[in-house]
């Protein structure tokens, strides 16, 4: 298990991290005109996608491992503190409306609990014990996948979560922005996106936060694609919970099938608003209940259900 370093040890650790490095060429940025400062920040941000691209093999390997476990009923669990924790909670919260997942299927854990989303509870990040308790409260199983997220790669909460999950047989991924991190070492799949020093020294909600958001987007979205939650690039599992999403549902059915407005409306009504059922019914020429049954038999995968319907 990890141990909490003393103040002097922590100062030494931080001084060695790329994300904490001081850039003397930026020492006078507070004197720049606002437009010049915006250009400088934008130029820094533009380097992030290339850093993520350098980690694509590791990201893809992690996604395949997550999809395999989720395919047999496991969950995707993020664990982080501060900005990293908030990004995990954000990604998890967007999965139900986008992919019609159960809210318990993708979960974001943040050190300090829900109140840390709005109010800083930064001291909570120092507790690996807290991470273990949070995972135990969810009833962690070997089919689950735990992603520790930490810009520094040393945050005790994230490292503790990964260590505990790995000891319990769960899949573990460590996402950080420094090489040789404790987080990557603790995980089966280490993803270290090195974005370099920040414009404002140590403010890892900037480039490091952007890199983490991009990787989390990939982890959840591509996993859902692998699980059959899309038909091509269409969100056929979208949950139509408001007017915008209901309009999007109609548009998705039309794009997937080429059907006219009246046909789309009728198919969605017969399908109880379920886009995937409506699409299958129109493409296969079957009624709603038959489409629903074929989807269940095909594990919710629209292409497989369509192939079965067509014999």
């Amino acid at each position: 298990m990890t141990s909490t370093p003393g103040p002097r040890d922590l100062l030494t650790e931080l001084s060695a991290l790329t994300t904490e490095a001081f850039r003397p060429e930026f020492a006078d940025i507070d004197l720049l005109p606002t437009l010049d400062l915006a250009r400088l920040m934008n130029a820094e941000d533009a380097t992030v996608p290339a850093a993520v691209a350098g980690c694509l093999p590791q990201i893809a390997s992690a996604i395949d491992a997550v999809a395999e476990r989720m395919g047999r009923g496991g969950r995707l669990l993020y664990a982080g503190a501060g900005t990293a924790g908030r990004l995990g909670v954000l990604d998890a919260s967007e999965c139900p409306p986008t992919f019609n997942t159960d809210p318990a299927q993708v979960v974001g854990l943040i050190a300090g609990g829900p109140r840390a989303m709005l109010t800083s509870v930064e001291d909570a990040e120092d507790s690996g014990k807290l991470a273990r308790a949070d995972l135990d409260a969810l009833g962690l199983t070997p089919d689950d996948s735990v992603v520790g997220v930490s810009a520094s790669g040393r945050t005790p909460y994230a490292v503790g979560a990964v260590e505990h999950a790995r000891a319990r047989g769960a899949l573990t991924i460590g996402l950080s922005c420094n090489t040789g991190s404790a987080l990557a070492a603790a995980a089966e799949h280490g993803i270290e996106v090195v974005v370099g020093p920040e414009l404002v020294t140590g403010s890892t909600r900037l480039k490091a936060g952007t890199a983490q958001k991009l990787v989390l987007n990939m982890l959840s979205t591509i996993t859902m694609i692998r699980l059959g939650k899309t038909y091509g690039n269409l969100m056929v599992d979208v949950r139509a919970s408001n007017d915008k999403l209901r309009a999007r549902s109609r548009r998705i059915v039309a794009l997937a099938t080429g059907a006219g407005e009246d046909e789309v409306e009728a198919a969605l009504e017969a399908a109880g608003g379920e886009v995937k059922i409506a699409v299958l019914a129109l493409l296969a020429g079957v009624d709603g209940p038959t489409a629903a049954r074929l989807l269940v038999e095909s594990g919710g995968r629209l292409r497989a259900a369509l192939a079965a319907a067509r014999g």
Side-chain angles (χ1 to χ4, degrees):
M1 292 293 181
T2 55
S3 58
T4 303
R8 185 170 298 176
D9 293 331
L10 182 54
L11 183 61
T12 300
E13 280 187 29
L14 291 178
S15 65
L17 296 176
T18 301
T19 49
E20 298 287 333
F22 171 68
R23 298 177 68 174
E25 70 271 30
F26 291 162
D28 294 328
I29 61 171
D30 55 324
L31 302 177
L32 291 175
T34 301
L35 181 57
D36 289 348
L37 189 50
R39 285 173 175 150
L40 180 59
M41 188 168 179
N42 180 246
E44 286 293 300
D45 290 342
T47 68
V48 175
V52 173
C55 297
L56 290 180
Q58 294 88 352
I59 294 170
S61 178
I63 290 169
D64 284 339
V66 171
E68 193 275 329
R69 297 213 181 195
M70 291 193 78
R72 61 180 193 242
R75 298 167 295 176
L76 175 59
L77 310 175
Y78 299 127
T83 297
R86 294 179 189 103
L87 289 170
V89 173
L90 172 64
D91 194 78
S93 69
E94 291 174 342
C95 286
T98 306
F99 301 111
N100 202 18
T101 57
D102 187 293
Q105 196 172 5
V106 184
V107 177
L109 295 174
I110 182 170
R115 72 187 181 97
M117 284 296 295
L118 299 176
T119 304
S120 176
V121 192
E122 303 302 351
D123 59 330
E125 75 174 50
D126 293 332
S127 176
K129 181 179 180 181
L130 179 60
R132 296 191 292 274
D134 287 346
L135 286 173
D136 286 342
L138 291 177
L140 186 69
T141 77
D143 283 339
D144 294 329
S145 301
V146 174
V147 183
V149 189
S150 164
S152 67
R154 59 153 301 281
T155 305
Y157 184 89
V159 176
V162 165
E163 289 178 337
H164 186 60
R166 192 165 186 178
R168 292 296 181 90
L171 177 75
T172 53
I173 299 166
L175 171 58
S176 71
C177 294
N178 286 285
T179 58
S181 68
L183 184 57
E188 295 167 74
H189 297 266
I191 302 170
E192 297 177 321
V193 185
V194 181
V195 295
E198 299 286 3
L199 179 74
V200 176
T201 304
S203 182
T204 52
R205 71 183 186 88
L206 301 178
K207 290 191 298 183
T210 299
Q212 291 165 46
K213 180 68 168 76
L214 291 176
V215 175
L216 294 181
N217 282 348
M218 288 186 183
L219 284 175
S220 59
T221 301
I222 301 176
T223 293
M224 294 302 164
I225 292 171
R226 293 275 76 88
L227 293 174
K229 291 287 188 178
T230 68
Y231 180 64
N233 63 341
L234 296 174
M235 297 190 300
V236 288
D237 259 327
V238 65
R239 179 178 294 170
S241 55
N242 60 31
D243 288 342
K244 180 190 74 174
L245 293 176
R246 281 185 282 274
R248 183 175 290 165
S249 295
R250 291 191 289 272
R251 185 166 184 267
I252 289 170
V253 175
L255 287 170
T257 65
E261 184 177 338
D262 291 343
E263 286 183 284
V264 168
E265 291 291 348
L268 278 169
E269 184 176 352
E274 294 291 334
V275 172
K276 190 179 282 186
I277 294 174
V279 170
L280 180 58
L282 287 170
L283 290 178
V286 298
D287 59 24
T290 300
R293 175 180 58 79
L294 287 169
L295 281 167
V296 170
E297 292 172 353
S298 301
R301 298 175 184 272
L302 181 51
R303 289 193 188 275
L306 185 58
R310 291 172 173 173

